[in-house]
């Protein structure tokens, strides 16, 4: 299932996640609406990835056709396809600082310059797991800046070549080449560094030649379908025409060249060739693409998420935790179903979160014979009693919005609680895709605070404790909404949208964002602690062009996430489904070596 990071970037093509949180309709109304999905297909909002990919490939072809200066490359140089020339062992670095600091640098030049900030937010969020993060355009780099940080991440989203002049300061190239500080370089322009410092100097320090490394392999671009990392096979699924390619490092062998560690293997399915998707030598870790678009719960982004440990927390011990939440509980829920779930999880000694929507609304009577219906928790004492029963048996109360729907309109389905968005507008297009339209018309900090306050009041009136955790309905809200949520709750447990202008102040529009989910706890660019939800949920039926997602799929995603040395397998489940699929999922995740923990322990 293609999950996305940047949810409105492609004018309807997003990097969204397909974590489906359906509604909790009255008995007999089980349906496939209302799944927690972030963004859209690519994970990016309002970005033309197809155009960007076309430009990347064209620029790489033009660079390849340009005459190359002669360099002191060993006559025994070997292309990276020769696996025997590349050590594939692990990498050990001296212990990093107790409070690591990360500098994230990104591109802003060129026709797709706004893409840089979106990707930089994704990188900054991940680095926020380890310590403090500073993000700025690469043009603002000054000599010696690298020395003030534990590590640097550069996101090469603009291909500097041909008609787009290099915007990276020479000081950055020089500092990277002479520093011992870890540098993680993703994507384009590594060849410009080699040209700037001298190809001979680069190859003699790093053991490979970026100036003779390209995205194509025998004329093939866009057919890299798999990445292997830390004994896990990760997927790479990008639609035809939207893949900008992956650089294939030309690793050199012979006297004078250092050994290159091939950290992750890429597989080109068109010809069976493998290559170093991520390589490391000296202080430089190079990843041949920016893996933040078209991601899934088992995607190659997992490798990038784990690589940060080597730079920022190399002494981290292996640990694998799991987390569960029960989703879309409302006053219309069946209390018997809630008690059944509580009994099973209590018997298994599994702590869990319960996402509660305090007010149920069906303004069009979709599930009530055409008669509008509103139900509060106070009006359903048996549901409240079931919630207290769950809390006494290991559950953690969480707030899942106020009504989890918007007004009296279809947004995008029917206006019913749990089915529709609350803080964002969306519609379903003619191809059955959910398209994000932007924040609701009245969106503001004051409006969002009113929704949050009203929700908390309902919990109090029902005699329930104040929830400390929040999950945004359908994982979609504006930047202003997220900041309000942060001021009311200690953390969010969810996938989120991150909007253009958050880092630099110049927004590309209200629907320009990147969607992201995490394998570990982070402090994101909004300054909020975000708890992970990274393997989705049980969904027995296909919806909106997303396939069904069964226990075996969740367990497979949990297995892929074992590649993260201190990561999670975090998922959610709707209590109106039978208990058996939940048991199958829990048993499968436990068998992989995960230990279930409470959301409040993080």
């Amino acid at each position: 299932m293609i999950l996305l990071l940047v949810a409105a970037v492609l004018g309807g093509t997003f990097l969204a996640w397909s974590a489906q949180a359906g509604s909790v309709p009255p008995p007999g109304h089980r349906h496939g609406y209302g799944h927690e999905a972030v963004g859209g297909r690519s994970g990016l909002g309002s970005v033309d990835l197809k155009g960007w990919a076309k430009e990347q490939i064209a620029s790489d072809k033009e660079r390849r056709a340009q005459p190359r200066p002669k360099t002191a490359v060993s006559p025994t140089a070997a292309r990276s396809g020769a696996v025997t020339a590349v050590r594939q062992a692990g990498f050990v670095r001296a212990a990093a600082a107790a409070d690591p600091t990360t500098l994230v640098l990104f591109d802003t030049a060129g026709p797709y310059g706004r893409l840089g900030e979106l990707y930089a937010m994704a990188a900054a969020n991940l680095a926020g797991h380890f310590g403090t993060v500073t993000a700025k355009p690469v043009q603002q780099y000054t000599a010696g800046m690298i020395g003030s940080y534990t590590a640097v991440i550069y996101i090469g989203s603009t291909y500097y070549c041909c008609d787009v002049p290099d915007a990276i300061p020479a000081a950055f190239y020089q500092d990277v080449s002479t520093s011992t500080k870890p540098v993680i370089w993703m994507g384009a322009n590594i060849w410009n560094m080699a040209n700037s410092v001298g190809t001979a100097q680069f190859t003699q320090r790093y053991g490979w030649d970026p100036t003779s490394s390209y995205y194509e392999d025998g004329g093939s671009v866009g057919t890299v379908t798999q990445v292997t990392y830390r004994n896990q096979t990760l997927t790479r699924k990008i639609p035809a025409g939207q893949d900008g390619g992956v650089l294939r490092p030309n690793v050199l062998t012979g006297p004078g060249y250092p050994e290159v560690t091939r950290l992750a293997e890429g597989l080109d399915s068109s010809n069976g060739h493998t290559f170093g998707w991520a390589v490391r030598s000296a202080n430089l870790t190079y990843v041949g693409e920016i893996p933040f678009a078209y991601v899934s719960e088992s995607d190659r982004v997992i490798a990038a998420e784990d690589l940060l440990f080597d730079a920022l927390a190399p002494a981290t011990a292996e640990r694998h935790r799991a987390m569960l939440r029960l989703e879309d509980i409302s006053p219309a829920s069946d209390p018997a179903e809630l008690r059944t779930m509580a009994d099973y999880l209590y018997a298994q000694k599994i702590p869990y979160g319960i996402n509660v929507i305090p007010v149920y609304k069906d303004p069009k009577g979709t599930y009530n014979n055409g008669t509008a219906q509103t139900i509060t928790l106070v009006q359903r004492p048996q549901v409240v009693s079931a919630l207290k029963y769950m809390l006494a048996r290991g559950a953690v109360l969480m707030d899942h919005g106020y009504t989890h729907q918007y007004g009296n309109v279809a947004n995008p389905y029917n206006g019913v609680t749990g089915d529709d968005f609350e803080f964002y507008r969306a519609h379903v297009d003619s191809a059955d895709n959910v398209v994000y339209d932007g924040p609701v018309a009245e969106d503001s900090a004051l409006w969002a605070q009113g929704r949050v306050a009203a929700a908390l009041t309902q919990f109090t009136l029902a005699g329930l404790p104040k929830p400390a955790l929040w999950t945004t309905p359908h994982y979609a809200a504006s930047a202003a909404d997220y900041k309000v949520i942060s001021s009311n709750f200690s953390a969010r447990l969810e996938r989120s949208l991150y909007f253009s202008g958050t880092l630099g102040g110049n927004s590309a529009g209200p629907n320009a964002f990147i969607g992201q989910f995490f394998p570990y706890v982070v402090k994101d660019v909004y300054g909020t602690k975000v708890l992970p939800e990274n393997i989705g949920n049980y969904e027995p039926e296909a919806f909106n062009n997303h396939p069904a997602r069964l226990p075996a799929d969740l367990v497979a995603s949990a297995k892929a996430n074992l590649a993260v040395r201190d990561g999670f397998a975090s998922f959610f489940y709707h209590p109106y489904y039978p208990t058996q699929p939940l048991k199958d999922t829990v048993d499968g995740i436990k068998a992989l070596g995960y230990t279930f923990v409470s959301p409040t322990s993080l």
Side-chain angles (χ1 to χ4, degrees):
M1 173 181 301
I2 299 297
L3 304 181
L4 326 166
L5 279 186
V6 185
V9 177
L10 299 178
T13 301
F14 312 126
L15 305 173
W17 317 271
S18 305
Q20 312 90 329
S23 72
V24 185
H29 294 287
R30 307 310 192 212
H31 51 78
Y33 291 151
H35 308 279
E36 305 295 358
V38 178
R41 301 281 175 192
S42 70
L44 292 163
S46 305
V47 172
D48 178 13
L49 281 185
K50 189 172 184 178
W52 173 83
K54 183 178 180 180
E55 182 175 273
Q56 293 282 300
I57 294 170
S59 295
D60 201 59
K61 286 182 177 178
E62 186 169 344
R63 179 174 68 91
R64 188 168 194 164
Q66 292 174 349
R68 293 180 57 243
K70 293 182 179 180
T71 58
V73 175
S74 166
T76 60
R79 289 308 303 253
S80 59
V83 178
T84 55
V86 184
R87 180 168 61 90
Q88 300 187 57
F91 180 83
V92 179
R93 188 186 299 279
D99 183 20
T101 57
T102 306
L103 174 63
V104 176
L105 300 171
F106 58 96
D107 297 320
T108 58
Y112 299 96
R114 62 176 171 165
L115 192 58
E117 183 192 21
L118 298 176
Y119 287 146
M121 286 190 288
N125 288 336
L126 293 174
H129 171 69
F130 302 92
T132 57
V133 184
T134 300
K136 59 181 59 184
V138 69
Q139 297 97 314
Q140 296 180 13
Y141 183 88
T142 57
M145 190 178 289
I146 193 173
S148 299
Y149 298 89
T150 305
V152 175
I153 301 173
Y154 166 64
I155 309 294
S157 60
T158 297
Y159 198 120
Y160 295 124
C161 172
C162 321
D163 296 330
V164 182
D166 193 351
I168 300 175
F172 178 62
Y173 292 140
Q174 187 62 35
D175 284 355
V176 172
S177 69
T178 58
S179 177
T180 59
K181 293 294 182 75
V183 175
I184 299 174
W185 191 303
M186 297 182 182
N189 306 317
I190 189 68
W191 48 85
N192 289 335
M193 174 179 163
N195 286 326
S196 179
V197 303
T199 305
Q201 178 178 327
F202 186 101
T203 57
Q204 287 164 15
R205 185 176 193 202
Y206 296 115
W208 63 285
D209 182 6
T211 68
S212 58
S213 302
Y214 305 100
Y215 294 156
E216 291 189 357
D217 180 8
S220 170
V221 171
T223 53
V224 179
T225 58
Q226 178 179 299
V227 172
T228 303
Y229 177 74
R230 297 192 80 221
N231 300 316
Q232 299 300 327
T233 299
L234 310 175
T235 58
R236 185 178 186 272
K237 299 179 181 179
I238 299 178
Q242 298 191 25
D243 191 347
V246 184
L247 194 77
R248 326 291 173 102
N250 179 15
V251 176
L252 308 173
T253 60
Y257 294 117
E259 201 166 25
V260 177
T261 301
R262 187 180 289 184
L263 300 166
E265 291 284 303
L267 171 65
D268 189 327
S269 60
S270 69
N271 53 29
H273 292 175
T274 60
F275 62 95
W277 182 85
V279 297
R280 181 183 292 138
S281 50
N283 67 320
L284 179 66
T285 298
Y286 177 74
V287 180
E289 64 169 326
I290 305 169
F292 295 138
Y294 290 106
V295 303
S296 74
E297 294 93 342
S298 303
D299 184 77
R300 87 285 194 202
V301 72
I302 292 170
E305 292 164 345
D306 182 74
L307 285 171
L308 270 63
F309 283 94
D310 288 337
L312 294 165
T316 300
E318 196 84 11
R319 178 173 56 167
H320 302 288
R321 289 172 286 178
M323 193 160 57
L324 164 67
R325 75 174 195 261
L326 299 182
E327 189 76 351
D328 286 345
I329 300 170
S330 83
S333 294
D334 183 340
E337 292 175 344
L338 299 181
R339 288 174 179 269
T340 297
M341 289 288 169
D343 289 341
Y344 161 67
L345 294 170
Y346 182 70
Q348 294 295 311
K349 299 181 180 179
I350 294 177
Y352 59 100
I354 50 174
N355 253 355
V356 179
I357 309 159
V359 175
Y360 173 89
K361 296 182 75 68
D362 182 357
K364 299 181 180 182
T366 300
Y367 303 123
N368 193 41
N369 299 316
T371 301
Q373 187 177 36
T374 297
I375 311 173
T376 67
L377 285 170
V378 170
Q379 294 171 320
R380 288 293 187 269
Q382 290 183 324
V383 172
V384 174
S385 176
L387 294 176
K388 292 179 179 179
Y389 183 84
M390 301 173 93
L391 294 176
R393 285 158 179 77
V396 173
L397 185 63
M398 300 169 55
D399 188 349
H400 195 26
Y402 176 40
T403 64
H404 202 317
Q405 54 83 240
Y406 176 68
N408 299 326
V409 300
N411 189 36
Y413 301 113
N414 51 30
V416 179
T417 288
D419 287 359
D420 279 14
F421 291 75
E422 180 172 351
F423 291 84
Y424 219 77
R425 293 306 307 270
H427 71 276
V428 179
D429 67 15
S430 59
D432 196 32
N433 297 309
V434 176
V435 178
Y436 285 42
D437 298 320
V440 299
E442 62 269 53
D443 184 64
S444 68
L446 182 62
W447 177 83
Q449 181 59 50
R451 304 292 292 186
V452 170
L456 294 176
T457 296
Q458 291 297 321
F459 286 109
T460 300
L461 292 174
L464 292 168
K466 177 184 176 181
L469 302 176
W470 165 280
T471 299
T472 304
H474 285 350
Y475 292 154
S478 71
D481 300 335
Y482 285 123
K483 291 174 183 177
V484 166
I485 293 163
S486 299
S487 68
N488 286 272
F489 300 89
S490 62
R492 306 193 313 269
L493 196 172
E494 61 177 36
R495 307 175 179 199
S496 306
L497 304 182
Y498 296 95
F499 288 85
S500 168
T502 299
L503 299 182
N506 296 316
S507 173
N511 207 35
F513 58 83
I514 186 169
Q516 191 172 15
F517 56 93
F518 309 106
Y520 35 62
V521 179
V522 306
K523 183 176 182 181
D524 69 7
V525 293
Y526 298 139
T528 309
K529 178 192 285 188
V530 182
L531 310 186
E533 186 279 279
N534 62 325
I535 66 171
N537 67 291
Y538 171 72
E539 179 53 56
E541 299 178 4
F543 72 100
N544 296 130
N545 295 310
H546 296 298
R549 192 158 172 81
L550 304 178
D553 299 308
L554 273 70
V555 173
S557 293
K559 183 178 184 299
N561 277 275
L562 288 172
V564 181
R565 67 198 70 180
D566 186 13
F568 281 78
S570 178
F571 70 105
F572 60 93
Y573 194 86
H574 293 93
Y576 52 74
Y577 286 128
T579 307
Q580 190 60 49
L582 177 59
K583 292 179 179 178
D584 293 341
T585 304
V586 167
D587 290 346
I589 290 175
K590 280 184 173 181
L592 293 172
Y594 285 93
T595 300
F596 278 86
V597 298
S598 171
T600 57
S601 69
L602 306 178

